Amino acid sequence: MKRLWPLMILLLIACLAGGAVLVWRVIDSPVPDVAWEHPAGVAAPNRPERVPQADSAEHQAHGIATEAEARAAAEPGPEAGSPPADSDEIAPSAVTTVDAAIAELGRIHAMDDFVARLDAEKALHDRLSEEWKGLDREFRVRISGRVIDGDELPVAGATIEIGGWISMRPEQHMLKHIRTIQPQGNPKVITDHAGYFEHEWVFKDSALTLEISLYYEAKAQDGRYSPQEGLGPYRPGSHEARVECRVPAHRPLTFVFSDRHGNAVKGITISLLAEAPAMDDFGMLHMRRHTLTTDDQGRVQFVGLNDDTYHLETPAPWRAPGAELTFRLKQSDLPSERTVILTRDISYSVRFEATPALKAGATVHLVVRLRNGDTEHLAAQTGTDGVAQFWGLSPDAEAVRVSVPGYKECAWQDVRLNPESDHDGGTVPLYAKD
């Protein structure tokens, strides 16, 4: 055993010497050249690209210049040293591409914390505002198509209206989806005799407008219109789209309004509100309103209504039955005529003898129970004479409760129901709460 010790010591020294040589070779060896790669469809990180050493200096200069010109023509180019698009840190001096900005915006929108999301979005907007100061973006969208009606007939002379809304608004980042932009010159595009049209709409906005979405509709000369449709979103550059706008057939919907005694209700304004949303000049969605005034026979005729759900509105003091207020309309149902019996709201002038006396302008609330068990709520303010005038009390009222802040609730017993006849509602005593 003692004879083996010298051999083991020599073997250990040899191993240590070999390991030291291997470590020195690794440290002293050159680092291999590794090209940066990124997944397809994801914005490339803003890192400098390596040029193969085998290329000549002239080829290198030409390649770099060509790339710089191409990027400058489209958008602000990337700068060396900026972080990748998925990095949590945003370097304030980095120049960002549109793809990287949109990717970063998408990452911010995916954040769970609302306050952190707003702070990060504003920080991105502020940074891009500084980097892209003085730059503009241009969007060119060539749209062609035709306008037809519900009977498959071409609509000549229809006006094509188009607008857009932006996906980024740095000056008011919480309202970035509200502001709309109009095409340059706001051209008037009219369909030809066969219902066709073609035009290129040009939108220009600040460099911070990364994308735009468009909405369009066709309006016939007789007022018929197509539902608003959307296109996009579009990045800066040129794009093409082909569309078809369909306006309703020229079929009328007629209403005849009369009172409970069969007399025509003339000279009142009737409105139909369509539920299909339309966009206004501020980028807000709203219900489209159709308004007409009844003639001497109590008649109105709406022409060119789309398939939709409509809400009927009548002016005070007239009210329509609940079954008539909302209805679904289809083109296959037209033309048609509907007779609507209107009930005139009756007014009651009620005098209040309160202890202590009510001040002028005091609000009085009524809780009205109807014969079918439903309840209605009315409110009015007292005048200098202590009288409040209530409108809209249903003829089907069965009991009325009166309440005024600071006074005991009481029942209004002297309710004389006389449909369509304004009258004095009597006197109601009120007493202060204990």
Side-chain angles (χ1 to χ4, degrees):
M1 186 68 183
K2 293 182 179 180
R3 295 178 181 179
L4 295 178
W5 275 108
L7 292 176
M8 294 177 62
I9 293 173
L10 290 175
L11 181 61
L12 178 60
I13 293 173
C15 291
L16 292 174
V21 172
L22 180 60
V23 171
W24 174 254
R25 288 183 178 180
V26 171
I27 295 175
D28 192 51
S29 63
V31 179
D33 190 13
V34 180
W36 291 106
E37 296 181 359
H38 58 275
V42 179
N46 295 323
R47 295 192 176 98
E49 297 184 1
R50 296 181 181 270
V51 180
Q53 297 180 1
D55 291 349
S56 64
E58 180 181 354
H59 178 76
Q60 295 178 24
H62 176 71
I64 295 174
T66 302
E67 181 183 2
E69 291 172 1
R71 291 186 177 180
E75 59 192 20
E79 185 175 274
S82 60
D86 57 352
S87 173
D88 291 335
E89 298 296 331
I90 300 177
S93 60
V95 177
T96 310
T97 66
V98 171
D99 287 342
I102 292 178
E104 177 66 17
L105 195 61
R107 185 189 68 83
I108 292 174
H109 287 172
M111 297 172 63
D112 294 331
D113 188 270
F114 175 75
V115 175
R117 184 166 68 249
L118 290 183
D119 291 341
E121 187 179 70
K122 187 176 186 305
L124 175 64
H125 292 160
D126 292 343
R127 179 170 67 85
L128 296 182
S129 295
E130 184 63 28
E131 293 176 0
W132 294 344
K133 186 180 299 181
L135 297 176
D136 293 324
R137 298 203 184 279
E138 182 176 272
F139 305 81
R140 293 179 173 270
V141 185
R142 178 171 292 278
I143 303 176
S144 60
R146 64 170 184 162
V147 180
I148 59 176
D149 67 7
D151 294 325
E152 304 294 330
L153 299 175
V155 180
T159 302
I160 307 300
E161 296 189 357
I162 194 166
W165 64 96
I166 67 175
S167 61
M168 201 170 189
R169 188 180 183 185
E171 61 271 23
Q172 296 184 35
H173 62 284
M174 292 188 67
L175 304 177
K176 63 181 181 300
H177 291 289
I178 293 180
R179 184 171 70 87
T180 57
I181 58 176
Q182 296 298 321
Q184 296 294 307
N186 203 12
K188 188 174 184 179
V189 180
I190 306 295
T191 57
D192 61 16
H193 67 282
Y196 285 94
F197 69 93
E198 182 176 4
H199 187 78
E200 183 179 67
W201 281 267
V202 180
F203 297 83
K204 292 184 179 181
D205 210 71
S206 70
L208 287 158
T209 301
L210 304 178
E211 294 179 332
I212 64 170
S213 297
L214 302 181
Y215 64 90
Y216 66 93
E217 68 176 1
K219 290 185 177 180
Q221 293 177 330
D222 56 8
R224 292 176 294 166
Y225 61 91
S226 67
Q228 286 186 350
E229 300 287 349
L231 291 173
Y234 294 118
R235 303 281 181 89
S238 298
H239 308 273
E240 291 189 2
R242 181 166 180 81
V243 302
E244 181 178 82
C245 304
R246 186 180 294 268
V247 302
H250 201 286
R251 300 171 186 165
L253 172 64
T254 304
F255 287 94
V256 179
F257 296 93
S258 62
D259 62 17
R260 295 160 61 95
H261 306 293
N263 301 317
V265 181
K266 57 184 179 180
I268 65 172
T269 300
I270 304 298
S271 295
L272 287 181
L273 276 72
E275 281 193 354
M279 182 169 290
D280 60 18
D281 292 339
F282 298 97
M284 301 296 291
L285 295 177
H286 64 97
M287 297 173 67
R288 196 186 298 267
R289 181 184 295 269
H290 307 264
T291 303
L292 290 175
T293 302
T294 57
D295 60 16
D296 291 341
Q297 287 75 44
R299 185 185 305 267
V300 292
Q301 188 176 84
F302 297 94
V303 178
L305 298 176
N306 292 287
D307 291 1
D308 206 342
T309 298
Y310 290 89
H311 301 272
L312 178 66
E313 287 188 353
T314 56
W318 298 97
R319 67 167 64 185
E324 298 288 345
L325 294 179
T326 302
F327 60 93
R328 178 70 185 172
L329 180 67
K330 296 182 179 179
Q331 287 288 301
S332 57
D333 300 333
L334 300 178
S336 68
E337 180 173 298
R338 303 186 180 197
T339 299
V340 180
I341 306 299
L342 298 180
T343 302
R344 184 182 184 277
D345 283 345
I346 47 183
S347 68
Y348 286 88
S349 297
V350 183
R351 180 180 298 276
F352 293 93
E353 292 183 351
T355 306
L358 282 177
K359 296 180 180 180
T363 301
V364 181
H365 297 273
L366 301 185
V367 180
V368 183
R369 188 179 68 193
L370 306 180
R371 293 191 183 97
N372 62 5
D374 293 341
T375 58
E376 291 184 353
H377 298 266
L378 302 177
Q381 291 184 333
T382 57
T384 55
D385 54 357
V387 175
Q389 188 175 33
F390 297 90
W391 282 91
L393 188 63
S394 172
D396 297 328
E398 185 177 57
V400 179
R401 301 291 297 179
V402 181
S403 63
V404 179
Y407 293 82
K408 295 179 181 179
E409 189 179 72
C410 67
W412 177 17
Q413 303 295 344
D414 190 16
V415 181
R416 297 185 297 273
L417 300 179
N418 184 10
E420 302 176 18
S421 177
D422 300 332
H423 60 277
D424 183 1
T427 302
V428 175
L430 292 175
Y431 301 97
K433 291 182 178 180
D434 295 334

